[in-house]
Structures are given as structure tokens and as C-alpha cells.
Amino acid sequence: MSKKLIITILVFASAILLAVLTPSILRSTRRDAQKADLIANHLYDSLYAAIGKPFVISQCMSSDTFLVNALKSEGDKSESQMEDLLADYLSSIKKKFGYLVAYVISEKTRRYYTSSGIAKIINPQRDPYDSWFQLFLDANKNIRLDTDRDEVYDYRWTVFVNARIEDSNGNLVGVCGIGVFMDELQELLSSAEAEYGLKINLIDNDGLVQIDTDSANIKNAYISEAISDKSTEKQFTYTPQSFGGFRMTRYMADLNWYLVVQDIGTGEKKVGTTILVICIYLMLLLILIADLSGQKDIPSHRFQKPQSVEDSLTGLPNRNYLKESFGELGIFNTTRYKSLVMFDIDKFKVENETKDGDEIILGVVKYAKEIIGDKGIMFRWSGDEFVIFYEIHADEAEVKFSEFCALVNKKLDVSVSVGVVEIDLSQSIKTNYHRAVQLCYAVKTAGGNGVKREV
């Protein structure tokens, strides 16, 4: 049998196979999409109920006259009196609504009140975990979600609903909130993931994962491509993926997070065998055509990486790059870098309301690159926060970034706060970073626009 005849037979066979199986593939994909839409909407409602309730409770606490007056009169009571007063208040909240995590932080004394009494004094310079407090205040939001580990409860992953407490004149007197343990939310999602072959996440505006059934992904992995879906709170956007998969995204306005539902296998299992058969036919066809025409090379295909290692706005490497370069444990694997610098833009949320935020970011990056030169690598950590691994020691870096602060302030009319530490190779990158964060927020607390080095 001649090659031409073989090719002709394969072409007709492939055409018949496609004609027969394509309608069933399309019907299967449509059924999967319709089913996933029902599941996704159910999950949307369930998550809103799970997080929306503590959201409302936190709002009510923040406007509770009793709590406002208690914090305003803190100076008139002894520490033990305030401790007993707020412990009773928070115990009643826990008993009434059933949440283990309920807390109040005084703006005046920075005492962290729980139902058991004063847990600690908030101090970012001593404890990196406390940096959340200043971050929340800087965001200038009345209420905001924050995923973090709870020191009071054995560092369990928790979704905190933080709310500002203000007096009748709009003056800040404290922060209160309710916490929902992550494992309770994971339990809610895990059954749906297992039964339907889906992957379910909540992500923030940068695409950073905030809720995941795999704790290793929380605040460590990104689904940045979901942000480009331009979803709204009214309905899910549907984005087809390869091999019958899809991604569905919906904005949760009150929470300021996105719900992302991805088909990670259901569609592929249903159509995988069909596609494999077709691919075998097509591969044979291509091989024979190439052999007949004397062509030796078959064009290669370019596959897109599942996660980008580059920030789309600045072109800087991001956290994914860091993970790929320094491993899952985040350990410095070279003695090349001597210091770690962390900086962010002061009051960026406010600046962004009156200026072009992207232009500010790009301008700051430009001047930072001029300062760093070829002596380091800069990462866009998140939003307006940047990290530099620097090849010069911390004392020299302090001088360089003092110049940077002055330059940015003069050229862009914005200010930055900078923390500088000497890298300790016996510690993880995360620990070195948190040391720098403490210094950065010490600068912010003092008014911003400056550099602080660990001594």
C-alpha cells in the first residue's frame, strides 16, 4: 500500500472520528460548565455565610457605644479593671455568636484584649506578626479581612475580620474583630473539591491566595491570571481552559476578595481518552506527511508556565521567582547577598486616589534601580511593597537608601519607608524579611520618609 493511500485513509478516518466525537465533547463540556456554575454559586453563598456573619459582628462591635466608651475611658481605669471589663465583653460576644476568636486592641495602649484577658502588647518592632496592625491602619479601611496565623491559638491559620473603632468625632480609639479558623473553611471547601474535581480558592486583589484547602498555598501561591477575568459581584465569569477545563471567578465586594473555582480534572477525564485517540491519529498523519515531503523537523510547541515569575507592571521578579530560585524552604543558597532591604510607599492608598498609582510604582522602581545598580536583585513583593537582596553590607545600604528616599520625595512628591538588615544565613529568607519589616514599620510609626537599620 502506498504512502499516499495510507495518508488518504488516515485523513478520512480522522475526519469521521472528529465528526462523530466533537458533538459529544461539546455537550460534555457544556454540561460540566452548567453543573460547575450551580456548584460555584452554592459555594459563593456558603462562603458569604461563613465569613459574612463575622463580618457583620465585627461591624456591630466597632459601633458599640459600650466598647467605644470603654476604650475612651481607659486612662481612668487600672489595667486589671480594663482587663476584666473587656474580657467579660468579649466572653459575651463569644457565647452569643459561637466564635472562639474575638479581640479588641486599644489604640492608646496597644493592649490586645481577649476573652481571657490581655494577651500581649502590640509591638511590630519586637514581634513581626504585629505588623498587621499598622498595615490595617495604613489601609484606611473601616473593615478589612486578613489571613494570618493566630498566636493566641497555637499559630493556627485564621481569617481575621478587623474593624476600626472610632468615637463620635471620627477619632480612632481601637480595632476589634472576629476570627474564623481556616480549618473550618477548608472543611467547607474540601468535600466539593473531592466530589467534583474542582480547585476552590479565595484570592486578594494581587491574586495572592488567602484561602486554600492546602495550607502550604496560603499567602504563598498566586492565581494572578484570575484577576484579569474582570469579574464582578453580579455573576461568575467563565474562562475556558485547555482540555475541557475552565476557570470561574466572581468578586466578593464586601470582602474585597475573589472566589476562584477551577476545573482541575473532571473535564479532562471525560474527554481525555477521546482527545488522546485523535492526537494519535494526527501524530501519525503528521509523521507520514513529513516523511513523504522530506521534512525532518516537526515544529515544536511553546507551553505557557502555570505561574508567572515576573510582575506584569514593573517587569520585576515576584514571589514565584523567589520560590523557584531559593526553594520551597526559602533558604539563602548563596553568600553573595550581604543585606536585605524592604521598603514600601507611605500612604499609597491615599496617593493612589489623587495620582496615577501605576506611574508612582514605576517611578519608584526606576529610582530604586538607579540606587541598586548591578549590586542586587529587587522583587515586587506585593502591591507597593518591594524587597531587595543587596550585595553590600547594611551600613552602606542605609546610606544608599537614604539617598533613595530623598530622590523619590523630590522627583515624585511621595515618600517611602525603608528597613535594612544584615542577612543572617542561619535564618530563612522569611525571617530575615520580617526583621526588615519591623524596621520599616518603625519608620512609618515615626512619620515615614526614612531609613532604619538594625544595629
Side-chain angles (χ1 to χ4, degrees):
M1 186 181 294
S2 69
K3 290 180 181 178
K4 287 185 178 180
L5 181 58
I6 292 173
I7 291 171
T8 301
I9 293 171
L10 282 171
V11 168
F12 276 109
S14 299
I16 293 170
L17 191 64
L18 284 168
V20 171
L21 295 178
T22 295
S24 65
I25 293 173
L26 293 175
R27 284 195 300 271
S28 175
T29 301
R30 282 194 293 269
R31 283 196 301 270
D32 287 342
Q34 291 167 356
K35 186 176 182 180
D37 187 63
L38 292 173
I39 297 166
N41 278 290
H42 173 70
L43 288 167
Y44 182 86
D45 293 337
S46 299
L47 284 166
Y48 246 127
I51 304 177
K53 183 180 177 182
F55 197 91
V56 173
I57 297 169
S58 296
Q59 282 182 316
C60 292
M61 287 171 64
S62 69
S63 58
D64 189 331
T65 304
F66 171 83
L67 184 56
V68 173
N69 290 336
L71 291 172
K72 287 182 68 176
S73 63
E74 191 174 27
D76 301 328
K77 296 181 176 65
S78 67
E79 181 177 305
S80 60
Q81 286 175 322
M82 281 299 299
E83 186 173 28
D84 291 342
L85 181 68
L86 289 183
D88 288 344
Y89 173 80
L90 292 169
S91 294
S92 68
I93 293 291
K94 288 174 57 176
K95 183 177 180 180
K96 183 176 182 180
F97 298 106
Y99 292 101
L100 284 177
V101 181
Y103 51 92
V104 173
I105 299 97
S106 165
E107 164 61 13
K108 184 184 297 182
T109 63
R110 300 298 172 99
R111 295 170 186 161
Y112 191 114
Y113 295 101
T114 71
S115 59
S116 301
I118 298 173
K120 64 184 298 184
I121 304 298
I122 294 288
N123 187 343
Q125 296 185 48
R126 292 183 181 177
D127 189 344
Y129 280 98
D130 290 346
S131 59
W132 72 266
F133 185 75
Q134 191 61 46
L135 286 169
F136 173 64
L137 298 185
D138 289 345
N140 201 28
K141 299 288 187 182
N142 289 330
I143 192 163
R144 191 182 189 190
L145 297 187
D146 181 33
T147 300
D148 206 344
R149 294 189 180 273
D150 190 341
E151 291 179 276
V152 177
Y153 286 94
D154 299 322
Y155 292 90
R156 290 171 68 178
W157 275 115
T158 305
V159 177
F160 296 94
V161 185
N162 301 311
R164 291 172 66 95
I165 308 172
E166 297 179 347
D167 63 18
S168 57
N169 296 319
N171 300 313
L172 179 72
V173 294
V175 173
C176 65
I178 296 291
V180 182
F181 289 133
M182 184 65 68
D183 48 17
E184 296 175 11
L185 299 171
Q186 289 172 326
E187 186 177 347
L188 175 66
L189 302 180
S190 60
S191 58
E193 288 192 348
E195 183 175 356
Y196 301 112
L198 300 171
K199 184 61 184 172
I200 305 160
N201 293 100
L202 269 80
I203 61 173
D204 65 14
N205 286 306
D206 293 320
L208 182 62
V209 171
Q210 301 294 324
I211 295 179
D212 194 301
T213 51
D214 183 353
S215 296
N217 291 331
I218 298 171
K219 302 198 83 168
N220 192 41
Y222 281 84
I223 313 178
S224 303
E225 60 273 18
I227 302 298
S228 62
D229 292 343
K230 305 294 183 184
S231 66
T232 67
E233 60 182 303
K234 294 182 179 179
Q235 61 185 13
F236 280 92
T237 58
Y238 178 86
T239 306
Q241 303 293 296
S242 58
F243 299 106
F246 50 82
R247 179 177 67 246
M248 303 180 72
T249 310
R250 187 171 177 183
Y251 182 55
M252 306 181 81
D254 290 341
L255 311 184
N256 199 28
W257 283 356
Y258 293 85
L259 173 59
V260 182
V261 179
Q262 299 181 87
D263 181 351
I264 60 170
T266 306
E268 294 182 17
K269 289 176 184 176
K270 289 184 176 181
V271 302
T273 304
T274 302
I275 292 174
L276 180 62
V277 172
I278 294 173
C279 285
I280 290 172
Y281 270 104
L282 293 176
M283 285 174 65
L284 287 171
L285 186 60
L286 287 171
I287 291 169
L288 287 172
I289 291 173
D291 184 46
L292 186 64
S293 60
Q295 295 177 356
K296 296 181 180 180
D297 298 325
I298 298 176
S300 61
H301 296 276
R302 300 172 67 185
F303 294 95
Q304 185 179 3
K305 290 184 177 180
Q307 286 188 327
S308 172
V309 296
E310 183 180 282
D311 174 55
S312 59
L313 175 64
T314 63
L316 293 174
N318 59 21
R319 290 194 193 185
N320 293 330
Y321 176 95
L322 189 79
K323 191 173 180 180
E324 288 191 10
S325 301
F326 294 89
E328 293 287 339
L329 298 177
I331 301 296
F332 281 105
N333 52 22
T334 175
T335 59
R336 174 181 176 184
Y337 303 113
K338 310 300 181 189
S339 62
L340 184 148
V341 180
M342 176 265 171
F343 73 85
D344 74 2
I345 301 168
D346 296 330
K347 301 177 181 177
F348 181 68
K349 299 287 186 183
V350 177
E351 296 285 357
N352 196 32
E353 290 175 1
T354 57
K355 302 175 184 176
D356 187 326
D358 287 351
E359 288 300 318
I360 293 174
I361 293 286
L362 292 171
V364 168
V365 168
K366 172 188 171 184
Y367 294 122
K369 285 180 176 179
E370 289 181 7
I371 291 293
I372 299 165
D374 60 354
K375 294 296 184 181
I377 180 172
M378 178 163 56
F379 304 88
R380 187 176 185 187
W381 204 253
S382 66
D384 62 316
E385 183 179 325
F386 298 84
V387 171
I388 296 97
F389 295 170
Y390 219 173
E391 294 176 28
I392 65 176
H393 288 284
D395 54 349
E396 299 175 75
E398 181 184 15
V399 174
K400 288 285 188 182
F401 273 84
S402 294
E403 298 172 10
F404 168 69
C405 288
L407 187 62
V408 167
N409 195 236
K410 179 181 177 181
K411 298 288 188 180
L412 301 175
D413 192 28
V414 296
S415 64
V416 293
S417 294
V418 187
V420 181
V421 297
E422 195 79 9
I423 287 174
D424 184 345
L425 294 176
S426 68
Q427 297 178 334
S428 67
I429 292 173
K430 184 176 182 180
T431 301
N432 281 276
Y433 160 76
H434 277 306
R435 287 164 51 215
V437 168
Q438 294 176 47
L439 298 168
C440 175
Y441 283 98
V443 176
K444 280 191 174 294
T445 303
N449 193 28
V451 182
K452 189 173 178 63
R453 174 172 62 90
E454 189 177 61
V455 292

